[in-house]
Amino acid sequence: SSAPSKNIDVLLCCGDVQTLRNTADFHSLNVPPKYKAMGDFHAYYSGQKVAPILTIMIGGNHESSNYLQELHYGGWVAPNMYYLGAAGVINLCKRTTAKDASSTISTLRIGGISGIYNSKHYSVGRFEMPPYNQGELRSVYHTRQVEVKRLQALASSTANQQETIDVMISHDWPRGIYYHGNIPQLIQRKPFFRKEIEDNDLGSPANEDLL
């Protein structure tokens, strides 16, 4: 974007960034063939472009999974673009200098968990390896219990300290999140959600437990 960024410190992306570096990554992107297009991430990956704002992202279910799998515990996917990994937490620090030259440091702690919930693969280990078969192309982005347990352990270890998580991001809705919004409006826009809401099946039970 060409909009001024002086008042924006960080951009949070909740998945489906489609981190395609080149056409060889198409085999790891689970979308219909008509949607397989390069987009513009490759320009940021190669350094032709640089994100004007620090960007923090997690993975969704439409990703170049082979690339993100290389950064399982997080890392820079491109200059000024950081991936939190399958699950991760970072501290962002900002120094503010006053007119009298004094300065203060403010910290924002951001946690994130990638992928979507699928009960079939939730409690199994990571077995996928590119080139993926059709089953692995989907299971590779399914959230695993071990990632949820890692974040739960972190939350419990800091519960009585000041290092609580300020912002938590996920691609999959936490189950029950709709109770904190406008359910009639949601059903009006997406009537096929009605039964899932009534059965309390809409969203991720893993993310509900985590939050």
PDB file of all heavy atoms in Angstrom, residues 101-115:
ATOM      1  N   ALA A 101      13.963  14.475  25.363  1.00  0.00           N
ATOM      2  CA  ALA A 101      14.967  13.439  25.069  1.00  0.00           C
ATOM      3  C   ALA A 101      14.848  12.202  25.946  1.00  0.00           C
ATOM      4  O   ALA A 101      15.633  11.254  25.797  1.00  0.00           O
ATOM      5  CB  ALA A 101      16.381  13.996  25.144  1.00  0.00           C
ATOM      6  N   SER A 102      13.894  12.189  26.875  1.00  0.00           N
ATOM      7  CA  SER A 102      13.679  10.979  27.662  1.00  0.00           C
ATOM      8  C   SER A 102      12.955   9.950  26.790  1.00  0.00           C
ATOM      9  O   SER A 102      12.263  10.298  25.836  1.00  0.00           O
ATOM     10  CB  SER A 102      12.850  11.290  28.908  1.00  0.00           C
ATOM     11  OG  SER A 102      11.565  11.770  28.542  1.00  0.00           O
ATOM     12  N   SER A 103      13.109   8.692  27.106  1.00  0.00           N
ATOM     13  CA  SER A 103      12.499   7.654  26.283  1.00  0.00           C
ATOM     14  C   SER A 103      11.822   6.597  27.139  1.00  0.00           C
ATOM     15  O   SER A 103      12.199   6.379  28.294  1.00  0.00           O
ATOM     16  CB  SER A 103      13.548   7.003  25.385  1.00  0.00           C
ATOM     17  OG  SER A 103      14.555   6.372  26.149  1.00  0.00           O
ATOM     18  N   THR A 104      10.836   5.967  26.556  1.00  0.00           N
ATOM     19  CA  THR A 104      10.121   4.870  27.217  1.00  0.00           C
ATOM     20  C   THR A 104      10.052   3.685  26.253  1.00  0.00           C
ATOM     21  O   THR A 104      10.069   3.860  25.028  1.00  0.00           O
ATOM     22  CB  THR A 104       8.687   5.280  27.607  1.00  0.00           C
ATOM     23  OG1 THR A 104       7.993   5.715  26.429  1.00  0.00           O
ATOM     24  CG2 THR A 104       8.707   6.410  28.627  1.00  0.00           C
ATOM     25  N   ILE A 105       9.995   2.502  26.816  1.00  0.00           N
ATOM     26  CA  ILE A 105       9.897   1.282  26.020  1.00  0.00           C
ATOM     27  C   ILE A 105       8.541   0.629  26.285  1.00  0.00           C
ATOM     28  O   ILE A 105       8.180   0.381  27.440  1.00  0.00           O
ATOM     29  CB  ILE A 105      11.016   0.285  26.366  1.00  0.00           C
ATOM     30  CG1 ILE A 105      12.388   0.903  26.150  1.00  0.00           C
ATOM     31  CG2 ILE A 105      10.858  -0.992  25.550  1.00  0.00           C
ATOM     32  CD1 ILE A 105      12.720   1.209  24.720  1.00  0.00           C
ATOM     33  N   SER A 106       7.793   0.397  25.235  1.00  0.00           N
ATOM     34  CA  SER A 106       6.521  -0.319  25.363  1.00  0.00           C
ATOM     35  C   SER A 106       6.646  -1.672  24.663  1.00  0.00           C
ATOM     36  O   SER A 106       7.337  -1.797  23.647  1.00  0.00           O
ATOM     37  CB  SER A 106       5.376   0.492  24.748  1.00  0.00           C
ATOM     38  OG  SER A 106       5.649   0.834  23.401  1.00  0.00           O
ATOM     39  N   THR A 107       5.997  -2.672  25.215  1.00  0.00           N
ATOM     40  CA  THR A 107       6.104  -4.038  24.691  1.00  0.00           C
ATOM     41  C   THR A 107       4.723  -4.611  24.415  1.00  0.00           C
ATOM     42  O   THR A 107       3.798  -4.441  25.213  1.00  0.00           O
ATOM     43  CB  THR A 107       6.843  -4.953  25.689  1.00  0.00           C
ATOM     44  OG1 THR A 107       8.140  -4.422  25.955  1.00  0.00           O
ATOM     45  CG2 THR A 107       6.992  -6.353  25.128  1.00  0.00           C
ATOM     46  N   LEU A 108       4.600  -5.267  23.283  1.00  0.00           N
ATOM     47  CA  LEU A 108       3.367  -5.955  22.907  1.00  0.00           C
ATOM     48  C   LEU A 108       3.717  -7.419  22.650  1.00  0.00           C
ATOM     49  O   LEU A 108       4.609  -7.714  21.849  1.00  0.00           O
ATOM     50  CB  LEU A 108       2.765  -5.331  21.641  1.00  0.00           C
ATOM     51  CG  LEU A 108       1.411  -5.876  21.180  1.00  0.00           C
ATOM     52  CD1 LEU A 108       0.313  -5.468  22.162  1.00  0.00           C
ATOM     53  CD2 LEU A 108       1.067  -5.362  19.783  1.00  0.00           C
ATOM     54  N   ARG A 109       3.039  -8.324  23.347  1.00  0.00           N
ATOM     55  CA  ARG A 109       3.312  -9.753  23.192  1.00  0.00           C
ATOM     56  C   ARG A 109       2.229 -10.379  22.317  1.00  0.00           C
ATOM     57  O   ARG A 109       1.039 -10.319  22.651  1.00  0.00           O
ATOM     58  CB  ARG A 109       3.354 -10.446  24.553  1.00  0.00           C
ATOM     59  CG  ARG A 109       4.104 -11.766  24.517  1.00  0.00           C
ATOM     60  CD  ARG A 109       4.345 -12.308  25.901  1.00  0.00           C
ATOM     61  NE  ARG A 109       5.542 -13.127  25.915  1.00  0.00           N
ATOM     62  CZ  ARG A 109       5.726 -14.158  26.739  1.00  0.00           C
ATOM     63  NH1 ARG A 109       4.801 -14.469  27.628  1.00  0.00           N
ATOM     64  NH2 ARG A 109       6.846 -14.847  26.708  1.00  0.00           N
ATOM     65  N   ILE A 110       2.650 -10.982  21.206  1.00  0.00           N
ATOM     66  CA  ILE A 110       1.721 -11.533  20.223  1.00  0.00           C
ATOM     67  C   ILE A 110       1.937 -13.036  20.096  1.00  0.00           C
ATOM     68  O   ILE A 110       3.062 -13.505  19.898  1.00  0.00           O
ATOM     69  CB  ILE A 110       1.932 -10.875  18.841  1.00  0.00           C
ATOM     70  CG1 ILE A 110       1.714  -9.361  18.937  1.00  0.00           C
ATOM     71  CG2 ILE A 110       0.987 -11.480  17.807  1.00  0.00           C
ATOM     72  CD1 ILE A 110       2.059  -8.620  17.660  1.00  0.00           C
ATOM     73  N   GLY A 111       0.854 -13.786  20.211  1.00  0.00           N
ATOM     74  CA  GLY A 111       0.894 -15.234  20.030  1.00  0.00           C
ATOM     75  C   GLY A 111       0.065 -15.625  18.824  1.00  0.00           C
ATOM     76  O   GLY A 111      -0.856 -14.912  18.425  1.00  0.00           O
ATOM     77  N   GLY A 112       0.389 -16.753  18.235  1.00  0.00           N
ATOM     78  CA  GLY A 112      -0.375 -17.206  17.077  1.00  0.00           C
ATOM     79  C   GLY A 112      -0.279 -18.705  16.895  1.00  0.00           C
ATOM     80  O   GLY A 112       0.700 -19.340  17.306  1.00  0.00           O
ATOM     81  N   ILE A 113      -1.317 -19.282  16.294  1.00  0.00           N
ATOM     82  CA  ILE A 113      -1.316 -20.708  15.960  1.00  0.00           C
ATOM     83  C   ILE A 113      -1.827 -20.858  14.537  1.00  0.00           C
ATOM     84  O   ILE A 113      -2.826 -20.253  14.151  1.00  0.00           O
ATOM     85  CB  ILE A 113      -2.164 -21.529  16.964  1.00  0.00           C
ATOM     86  CG1 ILE A 113      -2.015 -23.021  16.687  1.00  0.00           C
ATOM     87  CG2 ILE A 113      -3.634 -21.101  16.967  1.00  0.00           C
ATOM     88  CD1 ILE A 113      -2.448 -23.901  17.845  1.00  0.00           C
ATOM     89  N   SER A 114      -1.107 -21.630  13.746  1.00  0.00           N
ATOM     90  CA  SER A 114      -1.405 -21.769  12.318  1.00  0.00           C
ATOM     91  C   SER A 114      -2.321 -22.949  12.032  1.00  0.00           C
ATOM     92  O   SER A 114      -2.502 -23.851  12.861  1.00  0.00           O
ATOM     93  CB  SER A 114      -0.097 -21.937  11.536  1.00  0.00           C
ATOM     94  OG  SER A 114       0.715 -20.796  11.615  1.00  0.00           O
ATOM     95  N   GLY A 115      -2.887 -22.940  10.833  1.00  0.00           N
ATOM     96  CA  GLY A 115      -3.644 -24.080  10.339  1.00  0.00           C
ATOM     97  C   GLY A 115      -5.099 -24.108  10.771  1.00  0.00           C
ATOM     98  O   GLY A 115      -5.614 -23.167  11.375  1.00  0.00           O
TER      99      GLY A 115
END
